[in-house]
């Protein structure tokens, strides 16, 4: 596959991943009401691990090297433990639109960590575009009255930081280990530590949860926790971490649309205006990204 075609396909896979991730907060908001933070935040990994284990065994995948294992710990900490748990806790008290706005800062976190972990150096134009998008998101948050941070806000911001690191590390590691293998091994690393807390929080009442709660939980376990990461890490490996990460600016507004459709949350004209500003800021630019080979070789 030629370089330009490879990058375009990487952007496409990144978009697929973002669309899948956009249903994560709405699904979490539904599931956490019936299953609680621990089951939704950690239990999804336990379920995903069953699917992952079958795939790894059938394909006879070899174990990661010690160096790769250390890097997988970073991916597991962000994508398997930190982000699911923090967002599950935050969604117990915040509307999806609130969480979606704060998660819009994720592309900046990802691109920032890409500089240190993957050796990518975004251009000045790249950063200007990112800042414009971020300021638009901040304006949106202030307009909705989110100026006073709650503990749930801090949890979401922490989730953004650790997932940004996980994305950058996983995207770079995908180039040598394989895209789906990165999240697969990260899940297998995390799941032994989750079985006991998940087991202690299981109750018989959960069996009577409505069908939409079960569908939401299964979606989180199979798609959000595994399949979406396969597309996302593949996209970053092929299209570049910093460049593909900018597609994430579409994610908060897709989340709001899904929240409107599935959760009956309202959407305002101001939301549409901000969405247009952010989308055109990202899509309507050509921001080259260079490579710092010295940093890349140390990764």
């Amino acid at each position: 596959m030629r370089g330009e075609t490879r990058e375009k396909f990487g952007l496409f896979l990144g978009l697929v991943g973002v669309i899948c991730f956009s249903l994560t907060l709405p699904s979490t908001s539904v599931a956490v009401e019936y299953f609680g933070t621990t089951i939704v935040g950690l239990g999804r990994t336990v379920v995903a691990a069953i699917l992952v284990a079958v795939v790894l065994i059938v394909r006879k995948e070899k174990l990661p090297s010690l160096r790769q294992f250390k890097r997988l710990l970073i991916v597991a900490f962000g994508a398997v433990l930190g982000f699911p748990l923090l967002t599950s806790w935050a969604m117990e008290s915040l509307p999806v639109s609130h969480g979606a706005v704060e998660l819009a800062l994720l592309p900046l976190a990802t691109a920032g960590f890409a500089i240190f972990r993957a050796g990518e150096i975004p251009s000045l134009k790249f950063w200007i575009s990112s800042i414009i998008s971020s300021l638009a998101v901040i304006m949106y948050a202030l307009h909705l009255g989110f100026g006073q941070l709650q503990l749930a806000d801090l949890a979401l911001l922490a989730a953004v930081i650790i997932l940004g690191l996980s994305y950058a590390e996983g995207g770079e590691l995908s180039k040598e280990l394989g895209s789906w293998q990165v999240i697969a091994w990260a899940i297998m690393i995390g799941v032994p530590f989750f079985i006991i807390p998940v087991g202690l929080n299981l109750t018989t009442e959960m069996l009577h949860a409505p069908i939409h709660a079960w569908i939401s939980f299964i979606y989180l376990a199979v798609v959000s926790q595994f399949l979406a990461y396969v597309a996302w890490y593949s996209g970053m490996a092929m299209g570049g971490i910093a460049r593909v990460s900018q597609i994430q600016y579409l994610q908060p507004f897709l989340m709001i649309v899904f929240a409107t459709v599935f959760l009956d949350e309202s959407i305002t004209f101001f939301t549409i205006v901000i969405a247009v500003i952010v989308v055109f800021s990202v899509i309507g630019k050509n921001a080259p990204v260079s490579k710092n080979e010295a940093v890349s070789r140390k990764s």
Side-chain angles (χ1 to χ4, degrees):
M1 189 180 293
R2 293 184 305 170
E4 184 179 349
T5 302
R6 178 181 173 85
E7 288 186 5
K8 289 182 178 179
F9 189 61
L11 289 171
F12 170 75
L13 289 176
L15 178 60
V16 171
V18 164
I19 293 173
C20 293
F21 286 137
S22 296
L23 280 165
T24 297
L25 283 194
S27 298
T28 300
S29 181
V30 172
V32 77
E33 179 181 352
Y34 298 95
F35 302 118
T37 300
T38 302
I39 298 300
V40 175
L42 303 181
R44 70 176 78 172
T45 300
V46 176
V47 175
I50 299 173
L51 171 63
V52 169
V54 171
V55 174
L56 289 173
I57 292 173
V58 170
R59 289 182 56 90
K60 299 179 180 180
E61 292 290 328
K62 64 178 182 179
L63 293 173
S65 66
L66 179 60
R67 182 183 64 84
Q68 291 171 335
F69 180 82
K70 292 177 180 178
R71 298 177 68 182
L72 283 168
L73 289 175
I74 297 175
V75 178
F77 176 71
V80 178
L81 173 62
F83 185 80
L85 198 58
L86 289 170
T87 53
S88 296
W89 182 76
M91 286 300 98
E92 285 189 317
S93 58
L94 296 178
V96 171
S97 58
H98 189 145
V101 166
E102 296 189 19
L103 290 186
L105 298 176
L106 185 55
L108 278 184
T110 304
F113 281 117
I115 294 175
F116 301 102
R117 301 304 303 169
E120 293 188 0
I121 306 177
S123 67
L124 178 61
K125 188 177 180 181
F126 178 97
W127 286 116
I128 291 175
S129 179
S130 298
I131 290 172
I132 291 173
S133 301
S134 296
L135 288 177
V137 168
I138 292 171
M139 284 175 55
Y140 178 77
L142 292 174
H143 176 75
L144 295 181
F146 299 155
Q148 294 182 344
L149 291 180
Q150 307 171 37
L151 286 177
D153 290 298
L154 296 176
L156 285 175
L157 292 175
V160 165
I161 293 173
I162 63 175
L163 189 60
L165 173 60
S166 177
Y167 276 175
E169 190 69 35
E172 185 68 11
L173 186 56
S174 294
K175 297 175 183 179
E176 58 178 86
L177 189 59
S179 57
W180 71 267
Q181 288 92 335
V182 169
I183 188 62
W185 286 116
I187 287 172
M188 297 310 294
I189 288 172
V191 72
F193 302 98
F194 300 165
I195 294 176
I196 292 179
V198 167
L200 292 176
N201 281 273
L202 288 174
T203 65
T204 55
E205 287 79 9
M206 293 177 183
L207 296 176
H208 304 292
I211 186 64
H212 65 274
W214 281 105
I215 291 175
S216 297
F217 179 74
I218 293 172
Y219 180 88
L220 290 170
V222 177
V223 180
S224 292
Q225 194 61 54
F226 181 52
L227 297 181
Y229 276 104
V230 174
W232 181 243
Y233 282 139
S234 296
M236 288 195 293
M238 298 175 71
I241 295 172
R243 182 176 287 112
V244 174
S245 72
Q246 300 307 286
I247 302 175
Q248 292 172 100
Y249 279 120
L250 298 175
Q251 185 170 308
F253 302 103
L254 288 173
M255 283 184 183
I256 291 172
V257 170
F258 289 142
T260 302
V261 173
F262 297 113
L263 304 178
D264 293 326
E265 290 193 11
S266 60
I267 181 170
T268 65
F269 176 74
F270 185 68
T271 298
I272 297 174
V273 171
I274 295 296
V276 170
I277 293 174
V278 173
V279 169
F280 275 88
S281 172
V282 175
I283 297 179
K285 67 181 175 64
N286 179 22
V289 179
S290 60
K291 190 80 170 178
N292 186 332
E293 297 297 340
V295 176
S296 182
R297 284 193 294 268
K298 293 178 181 179
S299 311

